[in-house]
Amino acid sequence: NEELLSQLFIAYMRVDDFKGQQTVAMQLYKLRPRNSYYFWAVVSLVLQALRGPDADNAQKAQLLLTLAQRMVDKFITENKLETAQEAQLYLQILQEQSKYHEAYDFLNGALCQKLYPGAPVFVRIELLKKLNKWDELNRLLKELLLQEQDRWDFYQEYIASTFRLIEAGEKPEGADYSVEMCHEFLCDIIEAQPKKFRGPYLARLELNRRMIEKRYSSEQLFGKMTDMLAEYFGLFGDKPCCAHDMKLFIEYVTPVAERRALAAKLTNGLDITSTTLPGSKEEMQRHICTLQIARYSGAHSIVSEELLHAISTSLSLHYE
């Protein structure tokens, strides 16, 4: 009985009996050949490999994943794949086996394009990274960033791919393979923005940060970190996230005294004292941001306890 077998499958699901699920799913498929039942069995195999009793046994887990792949391969050969979920599952099976070439070929193939045209772009990004296709990844991310100019995650991957190309000494057409090209691309996005997004400004800071980490000389950097952070504060200091953004780069301002000087400069530029209140929500947020930056830069760690109490009292008067 189809209904009883379906209920039995669900019961096995509740107790994580993946082997039982597989058996019942195949019984259902034999009773009524439907893709959903067949792929219940495939999913059950994958779950056995990833979460079952044999998950810690690499050889057995690989055997289960291979069997799951063969089951899907059979359906692909017979042209029976029907849904995006089935294509997505096949991609996952290939990735779990580290078959990144096969996964990438399938993702770009006509069948996947037909069934799963909305495949998340991060799947393509991760596969390109696994395959060390840095030129293709770089070009893809440039296209994506021109469409979505505030995607911080895309900027990070784009900059990382640029440095990979620099390390490899490759100069592929259409890709950015030098820090100068990378910086120019970021500046072009900033100049073309209809409104100010944080993404490209953060990306410029990130580019400088990575150059500092890789020991580029100060002459090669695209600006002084303190000046770039001050510019960032000027643009986005009224946003609650500003201090957390700047925190990512504060430690690259050296020496430590220069961090404190930056915090003092930002604070002094607000014209807010212990006796004057912020005139607007934006001014209040900028003030709070400067206080956070001062703490991140270590300014509060070198003052006396009396002064800290005075700061606390002042803030209470401002914001209670």
Side-chain angles (χ1 to χ4, degrees):
N1 183 291
E2 183 180 2
E3 185 177 348
L4 285 175
L5 285 173
S6 297
Q7 292 299 321
L8 180 58
F9 180 87
I10 293 170
Y12 280 135
M13 282 178 56
R14 287 173 176 163
V15 295
D16 288 346
D17 187 344
F18 307 128
K19 179 66 176 175
Q21 288 177 207
Q22 179 195 349
T23 303
V24 174
M26 289 311 296
Q27 289 174 347
L28 278 164
Y29 181 71
K30 289 174 183 176
L31 181 67
R32 179 168 293 190
R34 293 168 56 180
N35 273 31
S36 56
Y37 294 149
Y38 188 83
F39 278 90
W40 282 6
V42 175
V43 168
S44 299
L45 279 168
V46 174
L47 288 171
Q48 287 178 66
L50 301 182
R51 293 170 48 192
D54 296 323
D56 294 330
N57 187 320
Q59 190 173 0
K60 288 185 178 179
Q62 178 60 43
L63 189 63
L64 290 164
L65 288 170
T66 301
L67 179 56
Q69 181 186 341
R70 286 177 181 171
M71 288 181 69
V72 184
D73 284 338
K74 180 176 181 292
F75 258 43
I76 292 174
T77 303
E78 296 173 359
N79 199 27
K80 290 183 178 179
L81 236 60
E82 295 176 348
T83 67
Q85 290 78 14
E86 293 164 4
Q88 183 181 12
L89 177 60
Y90 187 58
L91 280 170
Q92 182 185 352
I93 292 168
L94 293 173
Q95 287 176 279
E96 291 292 346
Q97 298 177 88
S98 300
K99 294 183 177 181
Y100 303 120
H101 278 288
E102 290 182 44
Y104 189 64
D105 290 342
F106 178 73
L107 182 64
N108 289 326
L111 181 60
C112 190
Q113 294 293 321
K114 175 187 173 184
L115 297 177
Y116 196 23
V121 71
F122 72 80
V123 175
R124 188 180 302 276
I125 290 172
E126 287 304 314
L127 286 173
L128 288 171
K129 286 165 64 178
K130 293 290 186 182
L131 294 170
N132 294 328
K133 291 180 177 286
W134 305 114
D135 56 335
E136 196 169 335
L137 177 60
N138 189 275
R139 286 191 290 266
L140 171 64
L141 288 163
K142 286 178 68 177
E143 291 176 14
L144 293 171
L145 284 168
L146 290 173
Q147 298 166 20
E148 300 183 73
Q149 298 178 357
D150 202 26
R151 286 293 297 267
W152 170 230
D153 53 340
F154 287 170
Y155 283 111
Q156 289 176 296
E157 297 289 4
Y158 161 69
I159 293 169
S161 68
T162 299
F163 278 102
R164 287 284 192 170
L165 289 172
I166 293 170
E167 291 165 8
E170 299 176 5
K171 297 183 178 181
E173 186 177 350
D176 291 343
Y177 48 81
S178 70
V179 289
E180 290 79 15
M181 295 173 77
C182 182
H183 184 255
E184 183 179 354
F185 176 71
L186 297 176
C187 289
D188 287 344
I189 289 180
I190 289 172
E191 290 171 8
Q193 282 183 326
K195 60 177 284 189
K196 296 297 182 186
F197 294 115
R198 292 160 48 230
Y201 290 93
L202 279 172
R204 283 201 312 179
L205 286 162
E206 175 68 7
L207 177 60
N208 247 28
R209 182 191 72 79
R210 289 185 183 242
M211 291 174 70
I212 292 170
E213 279 191 341
K214 294 182 180 295
R215 302 189 182 282
Y216 281 68
S217 68
S218 57
E219 291 78 17
Q220 291 175 294
L221 299 178
F222 298 105
K224 197 174 179 182
M225 192 64 90
T226 49
D227 295 337
M228 295 174 74
L229 286 169
E231 178 193 20
Y232 189 82
F233 175 81
L235 291 168
F236 306 108
D238 57 353
K239 296 184 180 294
C241 57
C242 182
H244 298 289
D245 291 344
M246 294 175 67
K247 184 182 179 182
L248 298 171
F249 309 101
I250 286 286
E251 66 178 284
Y252 295 92
V253 175
T254 54
V256 174
E258 200 164 330
R259 299 177 200 170
R260 295 170 185 151
L262 171 64
K265 175 184 175 182
L266 298 180
T267 303
N268 294 336
L270 294 181
D271 293 328
I272 295 175
T273 67
S274 58
T275 57
T276 57
L277 294 174
S280 65
K281 176 185 173 183
E282 289 73 21
E283 283 187 18
M284 179 188 74
Q285 189 57 59
R286 285 180 177 276
H287 184 220
I288 293 171
C289 182
T290 59
L291 292 168
Q292 289 176 290
I293 295 300
R295 182 163 58 83
Y296 296 152
S297 65
H300 293 169
S301 64
I302 59 171
V303 298
S304 65
E305 186 175 339
E306 290 77 10
L307 184 53
L308 288 175
H309 280 296
I311 293 172
S312 175
T313 302
S314 173
L315 292 175
S316 297
L317 293 172
H318 274 91
Y319 299 117
E320 270 190 351

